[in-house]
C-alpha cells in the first residue's frame, strides 16, 4: 500500500485526512471529511484513514462501506422500529385472548378485525417477531454494528496512540477553540501546566509544547456498548438451541408424585398441598373494599404449591426405595420460584378438578328422595366400576367421561382431566330384571327414555350426587437457561459503555509556542461548556487570551449573512 | 391517623404550589438577567425554584402516605403510575435547573407536569389491591426507574418545544409552523380531556349501556354524554342523551366505545379552548409565544435537549428493558415476551438510539434534534396512554 509521508516525518496510511502525529491536513484528502468546505476541521475520527473511505474499492470494500455507514445503520433501526410497532396493532399469535371465540389464528383475526385482520394474518404479522425477515433485520443491524465499530475503532485507536505533543499550526488554528497570545512568559506557561495537572489532565511535553489530555477512555464508550449489544445478540441466537435453553411444563395433582420432565429422571416432585388465597378474605383487605367490589372476578392474592423435591441417588439400584433422597421441601409461589440442580421451577397456573364423587340411588316416586344406597366413585382411579348396594341393588358405571360437553344432546369427550365428569349408569335391580340406563353429571340427570322415540318405559330409579371432593392441580414450569448470565453480561457491558461514553468526555488542550506567540487550542468530543470552564480556570491570572469559540463566530457570521439577504 | 386523607391533601397542595411557581418563572421573562450565569440569580427565579421544591416535597408526602395507607408502593394503577411520572418530571426539572440555571424551563416544564398530574387524577383513585403477579420488589424498582427515565427524556421534549417556538420562522406559514401548532394543539386536547371529565363528573352525569363483548353482555357507565355509544350497545338509563353513532366494531379491547367517546369529547373541548385562544391572540399560538423567548439562548436549549437525552436514555434502558426483563423473568419465567408494552419500550429505546446516532455522526443539531425530541415524547406518551388503555397486555392497568 502506498504511504503518505508528512513534513513532520511521520508516515501515514493511504487515505489519511489529518496526519496521525501532528494533525497537518493531508493535501488532496480534505474532501473526505468535508474539511474543504469549512473553517473548522472535522475531528470525529481524528481524520484517520478508514477502510470505508478508501478510493478504488474492491467488492468486499463496497460491502464494508455499505454496512459501516451510520446512515444505513439508522435506516435499519428505523425499519425495525416501524416493524415492531406494526406487530402491536393486533395481539400476536401468542397473546390471543383466552376468552376469544376461536383461538385459531386463521379464524381469530378475520372474525375479530374483519378484512384488515385477515390481511394482517396473511402477511404473517400475527407472528411477526418470529418471522424470518424480522430476524434478518435484527441480524443486519448486528452486522452493521460490528463493521461500523471496527471501521472506526481501529484507526481511531491508532491515531490517538500516535498523536504527538507538537501539532501543526494549521491543525491548531482550525480547532473550534483557539486563541493567540503575545508576550507570555515561561512562568505563566508553567503555571497553566500545573493548574491543568491539578485538574487531572495528563501532561506531555516536547520542546516546550504542552499537550494536556483527559478522559480518553470515554472515546471507547460507544464501542464498549456495541460489544454489549453483540453479546446480547449472540445470547439470543444460543437460546434457540436446546443445549442452552430448556423449557418444560408439568401438571401435578395434590398427592401425586411425578418425575420432573427434562431432568433425565434425576428429580421427582411430590405435590403435598395447594393453597389459593384471594383478596377480601382477611381483615386487612378492608381498605381495598371499594376497588374489589368494582371488579367482578376474585383477585388472586397468592397461590402456592407446597412440594417435596426428590433427587435420585445415583449409587442406589433403580426401583429401590432408598434411591430417592429428599432434596428440598419448597413452597413454590408466584414470583418465588424454587431452584434445584440448575433447574428453576415456577408456579405458573392451577386448575381445579374433581377427585371423587358420591352418589345415592333413590326411587323416582319417593318424594323425600330417601337413599336406597350410596357409593363413591374415584375419578382419578376409575378401575372400580361395579358397586353393590344394600338390598341387593347393583350400580354399574357403564361409561365414564372425565370432561364432557353436550353436543346436540349427545355427550362428547373434551379432555382426559376430570373437570366436568359425566356418567352413564346401569342400575341392576335385586330381582335380576332388566338394568335401567341413565346419564348423570353435575346439574344433569337424564333418562334416555324420555327422548328415545322407541317409547320404552320410564326409569324407576335415579342417581343423585350427594358429595364431591375437589382437588387442585398445580401447573409448574421448569426451565434451565444457560443464556441468562450471557444476557446479563451483555446488558452490564452495554450500560458500562453508555455511561463511559456519556458522562466522561475526551478533552485535549494544546499550548504551542511559536517565535513570538503562544497558540492555545482545545478540542473535546462533547460538552464544550465543560472544556471552556477548564481553560478559563487554567489561564486565570495570566496574560494568555481565552480561546474563542470559532463555531459560534462562524454561526453568527452565517446568521448575519442570511439576515442581510432578507 | 388517616393516611389516605393526608395523601390526597398533599397531592392537591403540590399541584397548587407548582401552579404558583409557574407564575414566578413567568415573571423571569421580563427580567433582565437571562444569560446562563445570571438567569438563576434573578429574584423570581429563586422564589420559583424554592416553591417548586416545596411542591415536590408535598408530592413526596403524598407518595409516602399513600404507600403507608395501601401497604404497597403507589405504582400499581394508571392514576398512581401517571402521577409518579409527573412527579419525576418535576424532579428532572429541578436537577436540570441546577445544572443550567434556565428559568424558562420552569415556565414550560411545570405546566406540562401539571397537565400530566391532572390527567392522572381522571382515573379511579381508590386504593386498590395488587394482583398476585405484580407482587415483587422488582415491580417497584422497574416502574419507578422507567418513570424517572421517561421524565428526564420528557425534559428534552420541553426544551425541544421551547427551541422550536423560539426558532421557527413565524412570519409566514410553513410545514414547520403547522406541525408546531399541531403539537401545541395536542396539549390543548389534553386540557380538553381534563376539563370535560371534571365538568361532567361534577355534574354527576351517568348513562348506562349494555353491550356484547366476547359473547357476553357487559355493562358500562358513561360519565360523559355518549356521542359514540358502544358497538351494538343498548342505552339503559332513561332520559340520558342517545348516542349519535356507535363506535366501529373493529375497536376491540375492554370498553372501547367509552374510551373512544372520551377522546371525542377531549377533542371537542380542546378545539373550543384552542379556538378561543386563537381568537384572542389573532395569530398562531406559537407565534404569540415567540417574542417572549427572544432572550433565551437557543444553543443552551439545544445543549439541555441533548443532555437530558444523554441522561435519560441509560436510565430508561436500565428501567424499561433491563429491570423489566429481570422482573418478567422472576414473575412469568420469561424475560422477554413481545408483549405490546415491552415492544413499545424497545421502540422507545431504538428511537433514542437513532436520536444519538444522528446527532453524533450526522450532525443533527438544533432544529432537527428538537423535532426528534418531540417525536420521542410522542412515543413515550403513546406507551403510557394508548398501550396501557387500548393495546391491553400483561402490563395493562386498564
Ligand atoms: C440498537 C442498536 C444500537 C444502539 C443501542 C447503539 C448505541 C450507541 C450509543 C449509546 C452510542 C453513543 C452515543 C453518544 O455518545 O452520544 C453509539 C455511538 C455510535 N454508534 Fe451505535 N448503537 C446501535 C447501533 C449502531 C449501528 C447499527 C451502527 C452502525 C451503523 C452504530 C454506529 C455507531 C457509531 C459510529 C457511534 C459513534 C462512535 C463515535 O463517534 O465515537 N451504532 N451507539
Amino acid at each position: 500500500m502506498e504511504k503518505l509521508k508528512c513534513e513532520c516525518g511521520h508516515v501515514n496510511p493511504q487515505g489519511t485526512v489529518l496526519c496521525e502525529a501532528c494533525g497537518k491536513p493531508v493535501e488532496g484528502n480534505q474532501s473526505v471529511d468535508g474539511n474543504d468546505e469549512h473553517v473548522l476541521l472535522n475531528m470525529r475520527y481524528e481524520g484517520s484513514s478508514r477502510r470505508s473511505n478508501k478510493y478504488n474499492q474492491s467488492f468486499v470494500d463496497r460491502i464494508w462501506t455499505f454496512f459501516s455507514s451510520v446512515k444505513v445503520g439508522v435506516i435499519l433501526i428505523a425499519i425495525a422500529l416501524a416493524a415492531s410497532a406494526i406487530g402491536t396493532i393486533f395481539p400476536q399469535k401468542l397473546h390471543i385472548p383466552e376468552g376469544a371465540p376461536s383461538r385459531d389464528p386463521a379464524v381469530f383475526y378475520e372474525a375479530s378485525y374483519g378484512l384488515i385482520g385477515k390481511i394482517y394474518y396473511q402477511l404473517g404479522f400475527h407472528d411477526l417477531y418470529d418471522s424470518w425477515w424480522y430476524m434478518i433485520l435484527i441480524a443486519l443491524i448486528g452486522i452493521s454494528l460490528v463493521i461500523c465499530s471496527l471501521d472506526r475503532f481501529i484507526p481511531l485507536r491508532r491515531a490517538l496512540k500516535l498523536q504527538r505533543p507538537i501539532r501543526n499550526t494549521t491543525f491548531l488554528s482550525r480547532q473550534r477553540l483557539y486563541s493567540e497570545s503575545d508576550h507570555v512568559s515561561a512562568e505563566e506557561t508553567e503555571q497553566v501546566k500545573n493548574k491543568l495537572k491539578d485538574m487531572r489532565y495528563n501532561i506531555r511535553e516536547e520542546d516546550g509544547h504542552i499537550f494536556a489530555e483527559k478522559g480518553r477512555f470515554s472515546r471507547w464508550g460507544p464501542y464498549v456498548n456495541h460489544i454489549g449489544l453483540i453479546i446480547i445478540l449472540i445470547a439470543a441466537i444460543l437460546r434457540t438451541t436446546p443445549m442452552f435453553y430448556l423449557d418444560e411444563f408439568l401438571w401435578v395433582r395434590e398427592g401425586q408424585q411425578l418425575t420432573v420432565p427434562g431432568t433425565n429422571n434425576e428429580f421427582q416432585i411430590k405435590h403435598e398441598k395447594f393453597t389459593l388465597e384471594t383478596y377480601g378474605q382477611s381483615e386487612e383487605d378492608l381498605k381495598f373494599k371499594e376497588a374489589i367490589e368494582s371488579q367482578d372476578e376474585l383477585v388472586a392474592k397468592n397461590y402456592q404449591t407446597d412440594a417435596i423435591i426428590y433427587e435420585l441417588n445415583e449409587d442406589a439400584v433403580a426401583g429401590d426405595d432408598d434411591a430417592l433422597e429428599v432434596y428440598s421441601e419448597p413452597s413454590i409461589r408466584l414470583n418465588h420460584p424454587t431452584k434445584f440442580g440448575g433447574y428453576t421451577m415456577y408456579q405458573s397456573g392451577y386448575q381445579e378438578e374433581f377427585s371423587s364423587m358420591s352418589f345415592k340411588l333413590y326411587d323416582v316416586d319417593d318424594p323425600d328422595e330417601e337413599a336406597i344406597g350410596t357409593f363413591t366413585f374415584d375419578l382419578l382411579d376409575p378401575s372400580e366400576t361395579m358397586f353393590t348396594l344394600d338390598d341387593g341393588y347393583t350400580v354399574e358405571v357403564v361409561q365414564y367421561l372425565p370432561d364432557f360437553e353436550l353436543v346436540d344432546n349427545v355427550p362428547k369427550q373434551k379432555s382426559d382431566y376430570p373437570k366436568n365428569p359425566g356418567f352413564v349408569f346401569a342400575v341392576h335391580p335385586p330381582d335380576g330384571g332388566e338394568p335401567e340406563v341413565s346419564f348423570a353429571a353435575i346439574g344433569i340427570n337424564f333418562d334416555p327414555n324420555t327422548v328415545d322415540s322407541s317409547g320404552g318405559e320410564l326409569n324407576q330409579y335415579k342417581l343423585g350426587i350427594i358429595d364431591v371432593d375437589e382437588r387442585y392441580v398445580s401447573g409448574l414450569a421448569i426451565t434451565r437457561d444457560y443464556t441468562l448470565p450471557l444476557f446479563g453480561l451483555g446488558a452490564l457491558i452495554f450500560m458500562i459503555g453508555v455511561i463511559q461514553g456519556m458522562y466522561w468526555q475526551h478533552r485535549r488542550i494544546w499550548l504551542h509556542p511559536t517565535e513570538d506567540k503562544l497558540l492555545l487550542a482545545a478540542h473535546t468530543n462533547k460538552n464544550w461548556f465543560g472544556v471552556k470552564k477548564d481553560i478559563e480556570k487554567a489561564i486565570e491570572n495570566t496574560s494568555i487570551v481565552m480561546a474563542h469559540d470559532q463555531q459560534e463566530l462562524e454561526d453568527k457570521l452565517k446568521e448575519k449573512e442570511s439576515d442581510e439577504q432578507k | 391517623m388517616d393516611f389516605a386523607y393526608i395523601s390526597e391533601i398533599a397531592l392537591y397542595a403540590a399541584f397548587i404550589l407548582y401552579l404558583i411557581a409557574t407564575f414566578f418563572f413567568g415573571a423571569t421573562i421580563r427580567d433582565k438577567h437571562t444569560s446562563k450565569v445570571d438567569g438563576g440569580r434573578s429574584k423570581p427565579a429563586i422564589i420559583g425554584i424554592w416553591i417548586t421544591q416545596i411542591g415536590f416535597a408535598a408530592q413526596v408526602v403524598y407518595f409516602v402516605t399513600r404507600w403507608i395507607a395501601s401497604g404497597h408502593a403507589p405504582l400499581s394503577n394508571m392514576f398512581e403510575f401517571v402521577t409518579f411520572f409527573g412527579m419525576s418530571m418535576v424532579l428532572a426539572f429541578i436537577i436540570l435547573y441546577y445544572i443550567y440555571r434556565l428559568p424558562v424551563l420552569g415556565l414550560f416544564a411545570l405546566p406540562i407536569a401539571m397537565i400530566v398530574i391532572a390527567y392522572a387524577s381522571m382515573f379511579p383513585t381508590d386504593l386498590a389491591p395488587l394482583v398476585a403477579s405484580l407482587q415483587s420488589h422488582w415491580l417497584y424498582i422497574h416502574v419507578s426507574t422507567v418513570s424517572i427515565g421517561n421524565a428526564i427524556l420528557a425534559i428534552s421534549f420541553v426544551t425541544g418545544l421551547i427551541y422550536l417556538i423560539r426558532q421557527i420562522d413565524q412570519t409566514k406559514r410553513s410545514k414547520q409552523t403547522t406541525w408546531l401548532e399541531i403539537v401545541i394543539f395536542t396539549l390543548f386536547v389534553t386540557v380538553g380531556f381534563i376539563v370535560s371529565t371534571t365538568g361532567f363528573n361534577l355534574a354527576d352525569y351517568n348513562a348506562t349501556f349494555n353491550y356484547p363483548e366476547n359473547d357476553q353482555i357487559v355493562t358500562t357507565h358513561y360519565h360523559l354524554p355518549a356521542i359514540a355509544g358502544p358497538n351494538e350497545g343498548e342505552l339503559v338509563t332513561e332520559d340520558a342523551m342517545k348516542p349519535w353513532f356507535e363506535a366501529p366494531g373493529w375497536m376491540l379491547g375492554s370498553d372501547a366505545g367509552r374510551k373512544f367517546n372520551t377522546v371525542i369529547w377531549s377533542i371537542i373541548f380542546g378545539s373550543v379552548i384552542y379556538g378561543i385562544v386563537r381568537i384572542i391572540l389573532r395569530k398562531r399560538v406559537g407565534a404569540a409565544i415567540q417574542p417572549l423567548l427572544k432572550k433565551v439562548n437557543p444553543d443552551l436549549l439545544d445543549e439541555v435537549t441533548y443532555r437530558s437525552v444523554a441522561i435519560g436514555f441509560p436510565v430508561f434502558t436500565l428501567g424499561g428493558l433491563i429491570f423489566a426483563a429481570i422482573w418478567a423473568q422472576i414473575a412469568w419465567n420469561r424475560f422477554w415476551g413481545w408483549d405490546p408494552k415491552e415492544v413499545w419500550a424497545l421502540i422507545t429505546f431504538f428511537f433514542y438510539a437513532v436520536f444519538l446516532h444522528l446527532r453524533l455522526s450526522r450532525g443533527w443539531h438544533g432544529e432537527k434534534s428538537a423535532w426528534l425530541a418531540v417525536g420521542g415524547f410522542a412515543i413515550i406518551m403513546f406507551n403510557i396512554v394508548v398501550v396501557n388503555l387500548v393495546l391491553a397486555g400483561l402490563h395493562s392497568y386498564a
Side-chain angles (χ1 to χ4, degrees):
Chain A
M1 208 202 278
E2 236 180 288
K3 303 274 178 177
L4 299 169
K5 188 162 184 196
C6 180
E7 67 179 30
C8 70
H10 181 74
V11 179
N12 291 296
Q14 188 71 34
T16 302
V17 181
L18 305 173
C19 169
E20 291 168 328
C22 76
K24 181 171 190 283
V26 175
E27 225 165 291
N29 283 353
Q30 292 311 298
S31 62
V32 172
D33 278 351
N35 290 339
D36 48 349
E37 287 170 16
H38 294 276
V39 179
L40 299 182
L41 292 177
N42 180 349
M43 290 287 288
R44 189 73 256 149
Y45 303 105
E46 306 288 309
S48 58
S49 161
R50 285 180 288 141
R51 178 169 184 176
S52 60
N53 282 342
K54 258 187 8 190
Y55 298 107
N56 301 329
Q57 295 199 323
S58 68
F59 180 68
V60 177
D61 283 339
R62 271 196 221 136
I63 292 188
W64 179 277
T65 305
F66 178 77
F67 280 114
S68 68
S69 150
V70 173
K71 199 164 154 190
V72 169
V74 164
I75 290 171
L76 287 174
I77 297 176
I79 296 173
L81 189 156
S84 308
I86 289 172
T88 62
I89 297 176
F90 298 136
Q92 287 288 296
K93 190 177 80 182
L94 275 175
H95 299 303
I96 293 176
E98 279 183 32
S102 168
R103 301 194 64 193
D104 177 3
V107 180
F108 172 77
Y109 291 95
E110 189 174 1
S112 305
Y113 309 105
L115 183 65
I116 304 174
K118 189 175 172 184
I119 296 171
Y120 194 82
Y121 168 70
Q122 282 172 348
L123 289 175
F125 291 168
H126 66 295
D127 197 12
L128 189 144
Y129 307 108
D130 280 330
S131 67
W132 57 270
W133 60 269
Y134 192 80
M135 292 193 188
I136 288 179
L137 200 55
I138 300 293
L140 287 177
I141 293 176
I143 293 169
S144 168
L145 200 62
V146 172
I147 294 184
C148 197
S149 302
L150 287 177
D151 185 61
R152 289 159 171 81
F153 170 70
I154 293 167
L156 177 65
R157 199 185 65 146
R158 193 181 136 92
L160 288 178
K161 230 170 153 176
L162 292 173
Q163 60 180 333
R164 284 173 46 188
I166 304 181
R167 287 287 183 156
N168 184 281
T169 48
T170 318
F171 174 85
L172 296 176
S173 66
R174 289 179 72 184
Q175 291 300 316
R176 178 167 162 180
L177 294 182
Y178 179 70
S179 74
E180 300 177 3
S181 320
D182 300 315
H183 316 298
V184 180
S185 68
E187 292 83 58
E188 283 177 324
T189 323
E190 191 64 21
Q191 186 186 330
V192 173
K193 192 179 93 185
N194 288 333
K195 279 239 178 92
L196 287 170
K197 230 183 225 159
D198 290 345
M199 285 186 268
R200 296 167 177 273
Y201 276 82
N202 281 321
I203 310 283
R204 275 164 62 198
E205 275 182 272
E206 192 177 339
D207 252 356
H209 298 72
I210 295 170
F211 170 44
E213 187 182 23
K214 184 178 179 176
R216 191 197 285 184
F217 80 101
S218 80
R219 288 294 279 273
W220 316 135
Y223 310 105
V224 172
N225 87 46
H226 289 167
I227 290 172
L229 291 172
I230 294 294
I231 293 177
I232 290 173
L233 274 180
I234 292 174
I237 294 169
L238 290 180
R239 201 167 189 271
T240 60
T241 65
M243 235 218 330
F244 283 89
Y245 180 64
L246 174 136
D247 185 14
E248 299 278 353
F249 199 88
L250 167 79
W251 286 108
V252 56
R253 297 186 173 117
E254 273 177 296
Q256 207 176 19
Q257 180 165 342
L258 292 175
T259 300
V260 181
T263 63
N264 297 325
N265 298 325
E266 266 180 70
F267 290 95
Q268 295 193 0
I269 179 168
K270 175 150 197 241
H271 184 172
E272 292 276 304
K273 185 175 175 307
F274 190 84
T275 316
L276 174 71
E277 286 173 61
T278 51
Y279 274 102
Q281 291 176 338
S282 67
E283 188 104 330
E284 59 168 320
D285 293 341
L286 272 177
K287 59 191 171 208
F288 301 132
K289 220 173 121 231
E290 287 162 43
I292 291 171
E293 280 171 1
S294 66
Q295 219 137 359
D296 303 335
E297 288 166 45
L298 287 176
V299 182
K301 186 176 181 179
N302 177 27
Y303 46 102
Q304 87 178 41
T305 306
D306 293 330
I308 304 174
I309 307 281
Y310 295 100
E311 186 178 14
L312 195 71
N313 190 344
E314 281 174 22
D315 301 332
V317 192
D320 191 342
D321 273 353
D322 298 337
L324 289 177
E325 279 174 12
V326 173
Y327 181 90
S328 62
E329 297 185 38
S331 294
I332 309 164
R333 282 191 288 149
L334 212 63
N335 290 340
H336 298 273
T338 183
K339 294 194 172 152
F340 51 88
Y343 302 93
T344 311
M345 187 176 256
Y346 297 82
Q347 182 70 58
S348 40
Y350 67 90
Q351 287 180 3
E352 257 180 296
E353 62 177 24
F354 301 108
S355 55
S356 68
M357 273 186 171
S358 302
F359 299 88
K360 67 173 180 184
L361 183 72
Y362 61 93
D363 194 317
V364 181
D365 298 333
D366 181 354
D368 295 338
E369 301 186 354
E370 203 178 313
I372 298 169
T374 64
F375 64 94
T376 300
F377 181 75
D378 188 342
L379 301 175
L380 302 177
D381 179 19
S383 53
E384 191 190 351
T385 54
M386 293 292 281
F387 300 91
T388 308
L389 309 183
D390 299 345
D391 300 345
Y393 288 89
T394 307
V395 179
E396 183 188 356
V397 180
V398 181
Q399 198 184 4
Y400 159 53
L401 299 165
D403 186 16
F404 82 100
E405 60 186 343
L406 277 181
V407 181
D408 299 332
N409 268 330
V410 179
K412 278 249 168 71
Q413 177 88 326
K414 230 171 97 184
S415 80
D416 290 338
Y417 301 103
K419 287 185 201 156
N420 185 25
F423 306 86
V424 177
F425 292 114
V427 179
H428 301 269
D431 54 16
E434 275 292 293
E436 283 185 15
V437 175
S438 64
F439 181 78
I442 294 171
I444 300 179
N445 205 320
F446 180 64
D447 178 351
N449 297 317
T450 54
V451 280
D452 204 340
S453 51
S454 66
E457 271 180 59
L458 291 184
N459 284 343
Q460 183 66 36
Y461 303 104
K462 258 191 174 170
L463 284 152
I465 298 168
I466 48 175
D467 197 15
V468 288
D469 266 342
E470 283 173 314
R471 200 177 295 194
Y472 283 105
V473 193
S474 177
L476 299 166
I478 303 100
T479 62
R480 190 194 58 197
D481 191 346
Y482 288 143
T483 64
L484 283 183
L486 209 52
F487 277 106
L489 181 72
L492 181 72
I493 292 179
F494 174 80
M495 287 308 295
I496 291 174
V498 171
I499 290 167
Q500 177 181 348
M502 295 279 192
Y503 301 132
W504 279 271
Q505 297 95 33
H506 182 212
R507 296 175 182 175
R508 281 173 291 173
I509 300 171
W510 295 275
L511 289 175
H512 187 106
T514 60
E515 270 157 36
D516 51 347
K517 285 192 175 125
L518 179 77
L519 311 185
L520 166 74
H523 182 262
T524 178
N525 62 336
K526 275 177 196 170
N527 189 2
W528 293 86
F529 290 107
V531 75
K532 281 183 204 171
K533 253 193 239 149
D534 281 0
I535 300 174
E536 273 165 9
K537 216 163 137 194
I539 63 174
E540 225 170 51
N541 304 325
T542 68
S543 59
I544 299 173
V545 180
M546 177 59 198
H548 311 294
D549 191 332
Q550 306 202 81
Q551 172 96 55
E552 276 176 16
L553 294 180
E554 195 176 303
D555 290 349
K556 281 217 178 92
L557 251 147
K558 258 194 223 147
E559 209 167 292
K560 220 177 185 175
E561 267 170 33
S562 68
D563 276 354
E564 276 162 11
Q565 275 166 11
K566 264 178 213 160
Chain B
M1 226 187 328
D2 186 356
F3 285 107
Y5 181 69
I6 298 174
S7 168
E8 227 170 281
I9 299 292
L11 185 60
Y12 204 63
F15 190 86
I16 302 291
L17 286 165
Y18 296 152
L19 185 66
I20 299 171
T22 306
F23 285 113
F24 278 95
F25 286 117
T28 62
I29 291 252
R30 299 189 186 285
D31 223 66
K32 281 186 287 299
H33 321 264
T34 37
S35 76
K36 175 169 149 58
V37 194
D38 293 344
R41 308 256 161 83
S42 81
K43 262 233 177 69
I46 293 171
I47 299 173
I49 193 68
W50 273 105
I51 295 177
T52 309
Q53 287 174 85
I54 297 168
F56 181 73
Q59 206 169 354
V60 172
V61 170
Y62 143 80
F63 189 80
V64 173
T65 45
R66 194 176 170 91
W67 190 331
I68 297 171
S70 70
H72 59 78
L75 291 167
S76 62
N77 61 26
M78 199 62 183
F79 161 69
E80 294 173 344
F81 178 71
V82 178
T83 306
F84 186 77
F85 174 57
M87 176 165 126
S88 312
M89 266 185 80
V90 175
L91 178 66
F93 158 66
I94 293 171
I95 293 170
L96 284 157
Y97 179 86
Y98 278 110
I99 301 179
Y100 290 103
R101 306 263 169 193
L102 192 62
V104 71
L105 191 53
L107 181 59
F108 284 77
L110 287 179
I112 291 176
M114 278 157 56
I115 291 178
V116 168
I117 295 168
Y119 172 79
S121 60
M122 299 300 116
F123 293 92
T125 58
D126 303 331
L127 293 179
L130 267 186
V131 295
S133 65
L134 294 180
Q135 293 168 1
S136 159
H137 291 301
W138 282 104
L139 166 72
Y140 307 138
I141 296 170
H142 154 62
V143 175
S144 55
T145 319
V146 177
S147 198
I148 291 169
N150 276 340
I152 301 170
L153 292 170
I155 298 292
S156 75
F157 159 72
V158 176
T159 47
L161 185 65
I162 304 175
Y163 185 96
L164 293 173
I165 298 176
R166 161 87 169 69
Q167 291 299 89
I168 282 179
D169 180 6
Q170 291 279 7
T171 54
K172 57 181 185 300
R173 205 166 133 179
S174 62
K175 238 184 10 226
Q176 282 92 331
T177 57
T178 310
W179 275 107
L180 180 60
E181 218 46 28
I182 291 174
V183 173
I184 294 173
F185 177 70
T186 321
L187 293 175
F188 275 91
V189 171
T190 317
V191 174
F193 169 73
I194 295 162
V195 171
S196 57
T197 309
T198 313
F200 285 112
N201 266 351
L202 287 179
D204 228 353
Y205 186 86
N206 182 31
T208 305
F209 287 86
N210 288 336
Y211 69 100
E213 187 175 292
N214 288 340
D215 294 340
Q216 282 177 334
I217 298 294
V218 284
T219 305
T220 182
H221 302 282
Y222 275 51
H223 297 295
L224 302 175
I227 295 176
N231 190 251
E232 293 171 32
E234 188 193 334
L235 183 61
V236 182
T237 314
E238 280 167 31
D239 59 67
M241 187 178 92
K242 288 222 168 54
W244 300 0
F245 59 90
E246 285 183 356
W250 49 264
M251 287 191 177
L252 285 184
S254 59
D255 234 354
R258 187 173 59 80
K259 288 168 190 168
F260 182 51
N261 189 56
T262 308
V263 171
I264 295 174
W265 275 107
S266 309
I267 293 175
I268 293 175
F269 269 75
S271 305
V272 170
I273 302 169
Y274 178 80
I276 294 171
V277 171
R278 275 299 283 265
I279 289 168
I280 297 171
L281 296 175
R282 295 170 165 279
K283 54 179 131 178
R284 283 186 292 274
V285 178
I289 305 174
Q290 190 170 47
L292 302 176
L293 302 175
K294 266 286 158 267
K295 275 181 277 177
V296 184
N297 176 358
D299 286 342
L300 185 59
L301 288 171
D302 187 47
E303 172 80 13
V304 181
T305 305
Y306 172 59
R307 229 351 146 72
S308 45
V309 174
I311 301 173
F313 176 70
V315 176
F316 175 82
T317 308
L318 192 66
L321 297 175
I322 299 177
F323 290 163
I326 294 174
W327 177 42
Q329 179 66 29
I330 295 172
W332 301 300
N333 184 24
R334 58 151 196 68
F335 57 91
W336 190 260
W338 299 107
D339 173 88
K341 192 92 200 172
E342 292 168 345
V343 175
W344 278 93
L346 184 69
I347 289 173
T348 312
F349 172 78
F350 276 161
F351 185 89
Y352 282 100
V354 165
F355 177 106
L356 290 170
H357 286 92
L358 288 175
R359 190 177 173 98
L360 199 62
S361 294
R362 304 201 60 81
W364 281 39
H365 289 251
E367 195 181 319
K368 284 178 176 164
S369 229
W371 281 117
L372 284 179
V374 171
F377 186 67
I379 292 180
I380 291 177
M381 289 321 288
F382 186 88
N383 203 352
I384 292 177
V385 178
V386 182
V387 178
N388 277 344
L389 298 180
V390 184
L391 307 176
L394 284 171
H395 293 64
S396 175
Y397 288 119

